Amino acid sequence: MSAAENGREVLVRVKGVGKVYRRGSEDIHVLRDLDLEVRAGDFLALMGPSGSGKSTLLNLLGGLDRPTEGILTVGGDSIADLTPRELAAWRARHIGFVFQLYNLLPTLTAIANVELPLLLTPLSKSERRSHSEAALKMVGLGHRLKHYPRQLSGGEQQRVGIARAIVADPTILLCDEPTGDLDRKSGDEILSLLQELNRAQGKTIIMVTHDPHASHRAGRTIYLNKGQISDTMPE
Amino acid sequence: MKYFSLIWSNLLRKKLRTTLTLLSIFIAFLLYGYLAAIRGAFAGNISMQGAERLITRHKVSIAQLLPIRYRSRIAQIPGVKNTVTCTWFGGIYQHPYNFFPQIVVNQESYFDVYSEFKVSEKERQAWLNTRDGVIVGRSTARRFGWKIGDRIPIQATIWIKPGGSQAWEFEIVGIYDGQDKETDSSQMFIRYDYFDETRLFAKGQIGWFVVKVADPQNSFSIIRQIDTEFANSSAGETKSETEKAFAQAFAKQIGDIGKILIAILSAVFFTILLVAGNTMAQAVRERREELGVLKAIGFTNAGVLGLVLGESIVLSGVGGFAGLGLAIIIIAQGDPTHGALPVFVFPASDVLLGVGITIGLGLLAGIFPALQAMRLNVAEALRRM
Ligand SMILES: Nc1ncnc2c1ncn2[C@@H]1O[C@H](COP(=O)(O)OP(=O)(O)OP(=O)(O)O)[C@@H](O)[C@H]1O
Ligand SMILES: [Mg+2]
């Protein structure tokens, strides 16, 4: 653990977490007794073979799913103790998701997509507009506000996805293979953008990736294998 | 309503499907408006002075005649304020399609008993002074372009004259208006004295009595007294009832049109419910991932339920209000048959019911897809297969 990390508070604390899926009569232990700590301002790359449970872990961290066992706190909130309604409000406040396939609403313009999380806030219409516009400018899409997703390239769509994830200023950005569907050049641009958000704004980012090249951009890389986290690449 | 543009954009996603669904809802509500007006025209949904007036007819059927001399005996019954006699004339003006009711009445008191028909004092006086004079309703006068002073030929179907002639001629001496737009103004009134003198047979016989009572509360006992008065009478026993009951019985006789129309409408709305419900079910099915994204962003389960229900209500509301609106406009133009449905209005209560059905349809069509969207598990919705 580096000196820089020591100074920062632990934001995410995962202790003894297990996740079991039932498929028919069979129990699938995807995560077992998993421990993890993420500090505020970390840019973490999460790697591991397909089916190792990376998305499952990300969903648990983002409050989209609940662990079968163990403790999971983010910023002091124990996620497992929240009611579904509280959990939704908690997500709106603390989590920004970036998906591999961007998952923009095809019927809405770029700016309307970015505005979605702000609908859940008490902001006025004009405040929502100006926040959304600022977020799009920050990802370099100030000139594409009124474009629909189908009128944008993959890289541009992912920028809109990132703008949507950061517009409400969440505590953590959770990215599930954000460059997985992009060519090298667009992927690099997205990674630079995430790096920039991490460095300049101190955003905590957890990014799932298959690409070693992408993991180099992160401050720290961890590996998920057989339901457990390790700091070194498994054999 | 900050969620409106989100709801609206979803409806615009499949323009063809939304248009077709809207069109079916629109047509259903247009039909609803039309049938409500037709039902009103038939089922005696018409504002009537109901209990204040009694109808006394032959016990066997309305088609059997009664002697006019019963009139003075009815008049003597305590609580009876006024009595007039009515006889169905059933004539044809130029062509059988031109149907309108012609009724033979007592000119001196008819408009006292039917005070909802408004006719000027001058025209009433003219009627008393013109033996072959008639008073016609505004809608019929307008329909045929008649004005006061016109002489109109009527071909009798029942009441032939001595020598077998069917040709009658009357002079229009007055035009009456209904007190409101729901009052029938299609009838024509002929004087009884002139009619009785001129017809070949059944002199002194009339169709039915209309009895105005002083206090509607006593209607029931007066009905009994009238029918007792003529019990076992060889000239004909009577059957009395309130005008409202009479009108309803009449409506039943013509095939209980109200019920038939309601059955048709129920079938139409059930079909529309399936159409709209299917549209909403598809909308939710093909949008699982997007609904998952909304939940990931922080929309609550109830919020997602509200979005889908809102979409369904907007869909049904747009189609429904457009249909009701056009129905109101068309029905305001009046009777489309030019005479067969003298009272053709879209009753305010039915408009309100239509608005209720619109919202109910939206809720019903959307509730199951909305519940499905609400229960949708985010992690599963977002999982790539
Ligand atoms: N809802 C579920 N029901 C049953 N099994 C599930 C469910 N979600 C995930 N799994 C299983 O859990 C395991 C881990 O899945 P997960 O999606 O987390 O893997 P991953 O590491 O993200 O893989 P990839 O790199 O392919 O995205 C897989 O074997 C998957 O089939
Ligand atoms: Mg995955």
Side-chain angles (χ1 to χ4, degrees), chain A residues 18-145:
Chain A
K19 179 69 187 176
V20 181
Y21 287 116
R22 278 200 80 86
R23 196 181 285 154
S25 60
E26 189 189 356
D27 279 352
I28 305 167
H29 293 261
V30 179
L31 306 177
R32 339 170 164 249
D33 195 20
L34 184 143
D35 296 337
L36 174 68
E37 277 185 4
V38 181
R39 286 168 190 273
D42 270 358
F43 184 176
L44 196 69
L46 175 58
M47 297 190 74
S50 185
S52 57
K54 303 181 296 295
S55 297
T56 301
L57 178 57
L58 215 59
N59 285 346
L60 293 180
L61 293 173
L64 296 183
D65 210 348
R66 290 172 191 272
T68 316
E69 56 184 351
I71 300 166
L72 214 161
T73 60
V74 178
D77 298 318
S78 173
I79 300 175
D81 297 337
L82 300 178
T83 66
R85 174 176 281 274
E86 290 168 338
L87 198 57
W90 178 85
R91 278 199 301 270
R93 175 70 201 81
H94 291 291
I95 304 293
F97 284 101
V98 178
F99 305 96
Q100 177 177 355
L101 296 177
Y102 333 126
N103 283 6
L104 302 178
L105 268 56
T107 52
L108 299 181
T109 59
I111 190 162
N113 263 289
V114 173
E115 193 189 343
L116 282 174
L118 298 181
L119 292 178
L120 302 167
T121 68
L123 294 180
S124 74
K125 191 178 169 71
S126 60
E127 287 169 327
R128 295 199 304 265
R129 283 275 132 169
S130 62
H131 281 54
S132 310
E133 208 174 314
L136 278 169
K137 281 191 178 135
M138 196 181 298
V139 299
L141 283 183
H143 58 302
R144 292 274 189 272
L145 303 182

Side-chain angles (χ1 to χ4, degrees), chain B residues 149-198:
Chain B
D150 285 358
R151 292 193 68 81
I152 50 163
I154 301 281
Q155 182 93 350
T157 56
I158 310 166
W159 304 112
I160 53 172
K161 294 175 164 179
S165 163
Q166 292 171 275
W168 292 65
E169 198 178 77
F170 301 100
E171 179 183 340
I172 295 174
V173 296
I175 291 173
Y176 77 84
D177 286 290
Q179 67 181 6
D180 53 40
K181 66 181 166 101
E182 300 187 344
T183 305
D184 177 9
S185 70
S186 72
Q187 303 181 44
M188 176 172 113
F189 301 114
I190 301 165
R191 278 172 58 153
Y192 174 74
D193 52 357
Y194 171 71
F195 164 77
D196 196 47
E197 245 164 55
T198 314

Side-chain angles (χ1 to χ4, degrees), chain B residues 53-113:
Chain B
R53 282 196 297 252
L54 311 177
I55 304 283
T56 296
R57 60 161 171 95
H58 196 285
K59 193 174 180 179
V60 175
S61 100
I62 186 86
Q64 306 254 6
L65 303 178
L66 289 169
I68 191 158
R69 65 187 141 80
Y70 282 10
R71 188 182 182 195
S72 53
R73 284 165 71 185
I74 293 172
Q76 276 161 19
I77 291 172
V80 170
K81 205 161 138 192
N82 215 332
T83 313
V84 290
T85 72
C86 296
T87 308
W88 186 255
F89 188 79
I92 293 168
Y93 173 63
Q94 291 175 341
H95 195 281
Y97 289 162
N98 293 338
F99 171 83
F100 63 97
Q102 305 116 26
I103 300 173
V104 181
V105 303
N106 311 106
Q107 68 276 11
E108 74 288 350
S109 52
Y110 186 77
F111 288 107
D112 297 331
V113 173

Side-chain angles (χ1 to χ4, degrees), chain B residues 248-275:
Chain B
Q248 280 162 358
F250 187 68
K252 270 211 172 58
Q253 277 184 0
I254 57 176
D256 224 346
I257 285 180
K259 274 204 190 113
I260 294 171
L261 296 187
I262 287 172
I264 295 174
L265 278 177
S266 306
V268 168
F269 280 124
F270 184 68
T271 312
I272 290 305
L273 180 62
L274 294 184
V275 170

Side-chain angles (χ1 to χ4, degrees), chain B residues 283-350:
Chain B
V284 166
R285 211 176 307 130
E286 70 203 9
R287 220 188 292 155
R288 276 172 55 90
E289 225 173 287
E290 288 174 36
L291 292 166
V293 169
L294 289 178
K295 287 190 180 186
I297 283 174
F299 281 70
T300 59
N301 290 336
V304 173
L305 175 104
L307 281 180
V308 176
L309 269 188
E311 192 174 324
S312 176
I313 289 172
V314 169
L315 182 72
S316 139
V318 170
F321 291 155
L324 288 174
L326 187 63
I328 289 171
I329 292 169
I330 292 181
I331 291 167
Q333 315 295 313
D335 173 15
T337 63
H338 299 292
L341 303 171
V343 177
F344 195 75
V345 295
F346 195 174
S349 59
D350 284 332

